[in-house]
Amino acid sequence: MSGVAGAGYCLPCGERRAETVVVALVHANSGPGRAVEACLPHAREYAAAPEAPQWLRDDLAVLDALDAGG
């Protein structure tokens, strides 16, 4: 559902980054919702929080496995 979104805007940093990850989905009552992105360090920080979605933890684990050559 999420994953690396490529270059994007990291909300916590307040600037564009070369790699961002979807960390949350914001639903709207009318109109389309949106995806919230963060750079990898901020995504890892958010994933450590108890309220973080499991799919974010799963996505980061996949990215870690790919980085490790697995």
Side-chain angles (χ1 to χ4, degrees):
M1 144 95 262
S2 58
V4 174
Y9 183 82
C10 174
L11 191 61
C13 288
E15 58 188 50
R16 290 192 54 79
R17 295 291 185 171
E19 288 186 318
T20 59
V21 177
V22 174
V23 295
L25 299 172
V26 178
H27 300 279
N29 287 333
S30 63
R34 67 181 188 97
V36 177
E37 299 174 12
C39 63
L40 291 175
H42 280 121
R44 292 181 195 291
E45 194 175 294
Y46 179 60
E51 66 274 8
Q54 183 61 46
W55 54 260
L56 175 57
R57 294 182 188 104
D58 295 342
D59 286 350
L60 291 173
V62 168
L63 289 174
D64 290 342
L66 291 173
D67 284 344

